[in-house]
Amino acid sequence: MRTIGLIGGMSWESTAEYYRILNERTRERLGGLHSARCVLHSVDFAEIERFQAEGRWEEAGEVLAGAARSLAAAGADLLLICTNTMHKVADTVAAATPVPLLHIADATADAVRAAGLSRVGLLGTAFTMEQDFYRGRLAASGLDVLVPGAQARALVHRVIYEELCLGVVSEASRAAYRRVVDDLVARGAEGVILGCTEIELLLGPADSPVPLFPTARLHAEAAVEAALGTGSAR
């Protein structure tokens, strides 16, 4: 098994989920006492969040590029950015080292297409829902992407940063997210992408009338397949 390099800490709650899923999936695939070969560089999310809020994406990209270089030096054979939003700087990270970067939107699009769906809703941070770096990549994979209206986008974004990234899981917020999902389905969404890795802490299959696509899980599982040589690191 090749070594998976994780750029994590954004937030650490979802990075912990990555570690769990990587190891569970490796045990499922290899059996016995097998676990994932991985190395982690965990950044300080407060610094990254400040760069996001101030639009200082180039500086944020350099922080993550430095993390990528440290993981390459530690022996990583492929890289994951353990968050959706920071794939805005994926090109900067990919250029920092020859180690291949497995893009979370590619793993997600593959799963949506494998399910036979083409029109999906997208939940995530405002950056992910509103900017082209993520939606455009999904569209380039042949998907028709719907996002919530302005007020619902603000709600989804607020819950991510003010609750989920702090480890707070609220039933009131779960109910609010369910309403957002129901609206996307009413507009024609055949499935819904949980395009922020923390949302998987709040929503599960029982919370939606259509399939949910949990990006952290899909990303981690694709990484295991790539590390085992049965998938691609793109």
Side-chain angles (χ1 to χ4, degrees):
M1 184 176 188
R2 295 189 291 168
T3 299
I4 301 166
L6 307 172
I7 303 174
M10 301 167 286
S11 65
W12 68 258
E13 282 87 355
S14 62
T15 302
E17 286 295 291
Y18 266 85
Y19 184 71
R20 179 181 62 79
I21 295 165
L22 286 171
N23 284 290
E24 288 180 350
R25 184 64 168 176
T26 301
R27 184 173 58 196
E28 289 171 6
R29 295 283 281 105
L30 300 180
L33 297 176
H34 284 288
S35 54
R37 294 184 183 273
C38 57
V39 289
L40 167 66
H41 184 118
S42 190
V43 303
D44 180 359
F45 189 36
E47 177 185 23
I48 298 298
E49 189 278 332
R50 185 174 68 253
F51 288 151
Q52 292 175 344
E54 296 174 358
R56 296 160 62 187
W57 294 100
E58 184 175 344
E59 291 168 83
E62 284 306 314
V63 172
L64 268 59
R69 286 188 287 268
S70 74
L71 291 168
D77 298 303
L78 63 124
L79 298 175
L80 305 183
I81 303 172
C82 300
T83 169
N84 287 272
T85 297
M86 291 311 297
H87 279 75
K88 182 174 173 68
V89 299
D91 289 345
T92 299
V93 176
T97 167
V99 176
L101 175 71
L102 179 60
H103 199 292
I104 195 168
D106 294 340
T108 302
D110 288 347
V112 173
R113 290 197 308 269
L117 309 183
S118 62
R119 196 171 204 211
V120 289
L122 173 64
L123 302 181
T125 67
F127 311 109
T128 298
M129 291 186 288
E130 296 171 2
Q131 297 182 19
D132 192 56
F133 71 92
Y134 197 91
R135 292 172 59 181
R137 195 165 182 115
L138 294 174
S141 294
L143 302 183
D144 181 15
V145 182
L146 303 174
V147 297
Q151 287 187 331
R153 292 198 305 271
L155 165 76
V156 171
H157 182 89
R158 180 191 63 76
V159 169
I160 291 168
Y161 281 94
E162 296 182 12
E163 297 180 17
L164 299 177
C165 286
L166 298 174
V168 176
V169 178
S170 159
E171 287 301 321
S173 293
R174 179 177 284 117
Y177 267 50
R178 284 173 173 166
R179 290 192 291 273
V180 175
V181 168
D182 288 343
D183 181 67
L184 288 168
V185 173
R187 290 168 52 198
E190 302 166 321
V192 175
I193 294 171
L194 305 184
C196 172
T197 51
E198 281 80 18
I199 297 177
E200 291 160 61
L201 305 174
L202 186 65
L203 292 185
D207 297 304
S208 172
V210 296
L212 297 178
F213 294 89
T215 52
R217 173 168 292 280
L218 295 172
H219 201 201
E221 290 180 349
V224 171
E225 298 306 317
L228 293 173
T230 53
S232 63
R234 293 188 276 148

